[in-house]
Amino acid sequence: MDNRRAIGSWLSGPRAAIEEAGADLGHQGEQLGLPAEGPGSIARPGRRIGALAVDWALCLLIAYGLITDGYDQATGNWALLIFFVLSVLTVGTVGFTPGKRLLGLRVVDLGTGRPNPLRALLRSVLLCLALPALIWDRDGRGLHDRLARTVEVRV
């Protein structure tokens, strides 16, 4: 095998390598009954990361401006607590945080298709631990979404 081809398959990820070998995995979210594109489809990583960045910046701003005097370790800790509360309250009631709303995303329960406060609590705890959010399945859902039985979709 040519080294360039081996490196290219490594860079494109396991899904591309499996599909190149002839397997048909379908589109992301097909196993969940979600469309391939448009409203209701699985949210792409770029939008998800962008929404997280907007929410984190908002929480840092609140912690810096209202709680701490200056930026230090306490500001980051307060921002994490504010992020947790924001996530539980907003995702559990309306299905999105300010960042998710800005980028056209929504978190829904797989069974009902609506927000669920208990699932939002579990999802937020796991999201604040960070590691579960870094482990994704073939549908692009993080481990925090899988364990909470939720999915982040486009609006």
Side-chain angles (χ1 to χ4, degrees), residues 53-120:
V54 168
D55 291 334
W56 184 252
L58 178 66
C59 293
L60 269 176
L61 185 65
I62 292 169
Y64 178 77
L66 299 178
I67 299 172
T68 62
D69 279 337
Y71 185 79
D72 57 2
Q73 181 63 39
T75 307
N77 293 338
W78 278 107
L80 184 61
L81 179 64
I82 293 167
F83 177 80
F84 174 75
V85 171
L86 174 80
S87 182
V88 169
L89 293 178
T90 58
V91 170
T93 56
V94 293
F96 49 79
T97 61
K100 288 180 188 353
R101 180 67 179 155
L102 183 67
L103 294 173
L105 304 176
R106 185 170 186 182
V107 177
V108 295
D109 184 324
L110 275 178
T112 63
R114 295 187 313 262
N116 183 319
L118 293 176
R119 295 200 191 277

Side-chain angles (χ1 to χ4, degrees), residues 2-70:
D2 183 20
N3 285 340
R4 290 176 291 169
R5 182 177 170 147
I7 291 172
S9 68
W10 176 77
L11 291 173
S12 59
R15 182 179 180 96
I18 291 170
E19 288 176 344
E20 188 176 301
D24 180 25
L25 297 178
H27 66 270
Q28 288 186 338
E30 184 174 14
Q31 292 179 334
L32 303 172
L34 301 174
E37 295 292 325
S41 65
I42 294 269
R44 300 291 183 243
R47 281 188 177 192
R48 294 176 71 156
I49 292 169
L52 181 65
V54 168
D55 291 334
W56 184 252
L58 178 66
C59 293
L60 269 176
L61 185 65
I62 292 169
Y64 178 77
L66 299 178
I67 299 172
T68 62
D69 279 337

